[in-house]
Amino acid sequence: MALVPAPPPGSALLRGGAASFTADIRSLLHNPLFSDVTFIVGKERRELYGHRCVLACRCRVFHEMFLEQPLLADSSQQGQPIVLSDVQPEVFLAVMEFLYTNCVTLHSCIALEVLTSALEYGLEDLRKLCVQYITDTLTVELACEALQDVVRTQTFRELSDQSLLVILQSDGLTIDEVELVRAVREWAHVNSVVLDRPVPDVAADVVKELRLFLLSPEELTDLERENRKDQFIPVAVVGEAWKFHALKKGGRAQPHLLKRRAGTLPREHHRRYLDPSSLK
């Protein structure tokens, strides 16, 4: 790697205007002029343009990525686009904005996903900015609402069990329990491979926060069928949910497990058996 020669004795470092420099660099953001890499982003397959030298020097992940996909000898050709199908274009643009300008424009609809991207790309300063924004501006309700998108991302599957427990304990999640069970099952399978541990061991603590009492008998039957393949949820835990339907009460269940979340779809048994306060 070429190094800049050390300045001779008596040299002075003089700085020009930071604002004009930032504005000039910002003009390169998503600018096809002189771009040498194209990203195909999201389900919309939107094309976003970048400059390898900027992205590689600012982000280790891109540095390694571009080493694996060297620029063609003919610099007028970019080579194969890089497909990023699991991230929203607006979120990836926010990450690129930070890489080009060291600033980021956030709003409540993307803040959490930008945070997960910051973790994925190892951008500690961007992570701190996202956490600061979330802490200062988002209510618990808005944060929980945004999590309905986060559970569908790869980053959700890479959460620690303690982080996942915090999420599952929330009443404000705007997601139905069937989809949440499915997402946690995928999380358990990914972590089973990473940790080289059986799925039931990996999921032992988090499944206690799944609100199986909210599921209908038909959904519990489907859950048992899936459960035979991996024993994701202990038989005794599923049995407590069946007992709830038989006795019309939760027995020794913790009260919050009998409460609907913000996104829980209504079932026939909810209005008859659950705490009326959880139906509001």
Side-chain angles (χ1 to χ4, degrees), residues 107-219:
H107 56 79
S108 61
C109 295
I110 66 168
L112 281 166
E113 290 196 66
V114 175
L115 172 59
T116 58
S117 292
L119 295 171
E120 181 179 352
Y121 288 108
L123 302 172
E124 179 62 14
D125 286 346
L126 178 57
R127 183 196 69 80
K128 291 178 180 178
L129 292 174
C130 291
V131 169
Q132 178 183 338
Y133 174 85
I134 292 168
T135 302
D136 291 345
T137 66
L138 285 186
T139 63
V140 173
E141 291 76 15
L142 285 174
C144 290
E145 182 176 348
L147 278 168
Q148 69 178 318
D149 297 318
V150 176
V151 298
R152 301 183 181 97
T153 68
Q154 179 63 28
T155 304
F156 176 85
R157 303 181 191 107
E158 297 170 357
L159 287 171
S160 69
D161 54 351
Q162 292 303 312
S163 298
L164 184 54
L165 277 171
V166 172
I167 292 173
L168 295 179
Q169 288 164 356
S170 170
D171 296 335
L173 287 176
T174 54
I175 183 173
D176 187 64
E177 207 69 20
V178 169
E179 186 174 356
L180 193 56
V181 169
R182 185 181 303 117
V184 176
R185 183 189 295 276
E186 292 176 359
W187 171 89
H189 278 268
V190 168
N191 282 269
S192 172
V193 173
V194 171
L195 300 175
D196 192 24
R197 293 169 53 198
V199 167
D201 291 353
V202 170
D205 290 329
V206 299
V207 295
K208 297 175 184 177
E209 294 299 328
L210 293 174
R211 304 183 182 185
L212 303 186
F213 302 100
L214 301 179
L215 303 184
S216 68
E218 294 77 15
E219 289 163 338

Side-chain angles (χ1 to χ4, degrees), residues 24-42:
D24 290 341
I25 297 299
R26 181 181 287 275
S27 71
L28 296 175
L29 180 62
H30 184 39
N31 188 340
L33 184 63
F34 305 126
S35 167
D36 53 11
V37 60
T38 300
F39 298 94
I40 306 297
V41 184

Side-chain angles (χ1 to χ4, degrees), residues 208-209 213 250-259:
K208 297 175 184 177
E209 294 299 328
F213 302 100
R252 294 176 295 176
Q254 297 183 49
H256 74 279
L257 296 179
L258 298 170
K259 291 182 65 176

Side-chain angles (χ1 to χ4, degrees), residues 47 243 265:
E47 289 190 351
K243 187 184 297 184
L265 298 177

